[in-house]
Amino acid sequence: MTMTVTTRGTAPSYLTQGRVDFPERFVWGAATASYQIEGAAKEDGRGRSIWDTFSDTPGKVFNGDNGEVACDHYHRYADDVRLMRDLGLRAYRFSVAWPRIQADGSGAPNGLGLDFYDRLVDELLDADITPYVTLYHWDLPQALEDGGGWTARDTAYRFADYAVAVHARLGDRVRSWTTLNEPWVSAFLGYGNGVHAPGRRDPGDALRAAHHLLLGHGLSAQALRSAGAEELMLVINSSLVATPAQVHDPAAAVSEADAAAVERVHSLLNRQFLDPALRGEYPAEVLATVERHAGLEHIQDGDLKTINQPIDLVGINYYNPCVVEAAPGEPADAAWPGSEDVRFATADAPKTAMGWPIVPTGLSRLLLRLSQDYPEVGLFITENGAAFDDVLTEGRVHDEDRISYLDGHLRAVHAAVEGGADVRGYLAWSLLDNFEWAEGYRRRFGLVYVDYPTQTRTPKDSALWYRDVIGRNGLAG
Ligand code: FCB
């Protein structure tokens, strides 16, 4: 039985059980990020990143954890690629650690750092797994942060130089290039509420960082395209924004004030990045917020034209909906400059170990809205997954909760495809349990369980289930 979705732009009212088949050539894989898995923090000329510094600062990361060893992937990459092959993955999204390529964020590239990714790409291609390279997944060289980080315009130019250096080495074998992972998180958790590295707390800095990240995206996209990159992608942490009632019922009646709160937060989260990148303009209300907190001097003539480079795909990292309601008098949240009079709420839904509500229909509705609003670009699920309190017993992890999360979200993706959304692939977050940023190692998102003291990898039941999904290009009944 396939899912019934009425027309493009309307959400499915429910997600059926039963078999669903994905389109031919749908891409299946998993994703990771450099600082979360590589370890080898001091090897082969790698410089320090803002996440090394942040993790070393007491009180910033749960349990004082850091990425010094992580999953030791830097040394175990060949085994990890074998594991991917055994699980039937067809694509693997990883990120390059900028401080491995340029210890201080500029100058001649470090050959040893490039060698690592060169070996990884060859190993993947030998295993018939397509590499998807992300250039920035948050590990900014500390030396650049010392010069202002993303609040400094120069960082955008440094980023484009670095992107070109990586492409020069891998571009003959890698066709898909992502500039940034989740610029909203880099800017607003890194410089707004300080929950992520570099831990600064200033709304003006966060908004300047957001602009310079976008500028770095545009400059690097332009440079990569002229160097011959085939496929360019920008990855955002996108959520359906809805009131508590709308989360489950898109037709729920909402007050004008609630509807305005939803659209404002949708602008801050999604349109702040997609409108400049795809249209060459900021939404008016975002610009008003920028002007209030940061002035407009940092947005120079021609920047929006530079940011607006033709790209092929928008990558969507979706975990849960963003739930808001109007709350007159509420001050702006530190991560959300411009969110005055809005209260962030939570959905009435089961939660993952992160406390994130599980709402698969939010993903189909998000994909349908984005494909309606930005029909010029293809969509790709670059991250989706869940942390649960996994237990390893007798060599198995029975993570039924993760299987059900993935199954529900894949049905949601399928529903959106049936509804007309151009979704090209799905990458589970994550291949391995790993360093979950401020949460340290206590949150396990992997399809594969990692016993950190021994570095033993054990595919969870969800990994075996996912292998079957990939094998049949769909979900069984
Ligand atoms: C995303 C990040 C990724 C991972 C997941 C759980 O925001 O891109 O690195 O931490 O959340």
Side-chain angles (χ1 to χ4, degrees), residues 33 36 93 137-138 181-182 185 237 317 319 354 356 383 429 435-437 445:
Q36 296 182 275
R93 171 178 180 247
H137 200 129
W138 306 351
N181 178 69
E182 301 189 354
V185 172
N237 52 304
N317 295 351
Y319 292 90
M354 296 289 280
W356 296 349
E383 288 182 27
W429 183 269
F435 175 80
E436 176 47 37
W437 309 112
F445 274 91

Side-chain angles (χ1 to χ4, degrees), residues 159-355:
F159 178 65
D161 286 353
Y162 148 74
V164 167
V166 178
H167 183 270
R169 177 63 91 84
L170 305 179
D172 57 338
R173 285 152 293 153
V174 172
R175 60 176 295 276
S176 185
W177 294 84
T178 291
T179 54
L180 305 175
N181 178 69
E182 301 189 354
W184 184 89
V185 172
S186 298
F188 293 97
L189 301 192
Y191 296 85
N193 73 0
V195 165
H196 277 195
R200 284 157 67 178
R201 293 184 190 157
D202 181 281
D205 282 346
L207 290 156
R208 271 185 286 274
H211 181 72
H212 295 141
L213 281 152
L214 279 165
L215 184 61
H217 160 75
L219 291 165
S220 60
Q222 195 171 41
L224 291 168
R225 189 71 91 191
S226 44
E230 253 175 78
E231 182 175 280
L232 294 176
M233 168 151 57
L234 172 66
V235 169
I236 62 168
N237 52 304
S238 193
S239 277
L240 173 81
V241 185
T243 64
Q246 285 176 317
V247 166
H248 300 289
D249 176 9
V254 281
S255 66
E256 227 171 89
D258 277 348
V262 165
E263 282 314 305
R264 182 130 49 90
V265 173
H266 176 72
S267 290
L268 296 172
L269 179 64
N270 299 316
R271 293 186 57 199
Q272 173 156 212
F273 297 93
L274 294 179
D275 286 16
L278 302 175
R279 300 278 161 73
E281 61 194 22
Y282 278 111
E285 53 191 343
V286 169
L287 209 53
T289 298
V290 175
E291 185 165 22
R292 182 146 48 94
H293 291 285
L296 293 177
E297 301 73 52
H298 65 287
I299 304 178
Q300 298 188 3
D301 280 356
D303 281 3
L304 282 152
K305 195 154 178 280
T306 303
I307 293 166
N308 179 210
Q309 295 301 316
I311 58 172
D312 305 283
L313 296 169
V314 167
I316 304 297
N317 295 351
Y318 176 90
Y319 292 90
N320 53 266
C322 179
V323 188
V324 302
E325 52 199 350
E330 186 88 7
D333 184 284
W336 298 92
S339 71
E340 288 80 5
D341 305 322
V342 170
R343 181 181 309 121
F344 289 86
T346 184
D348 177 19
K351 314 259 181 331
T352 69
M354 296 289 280

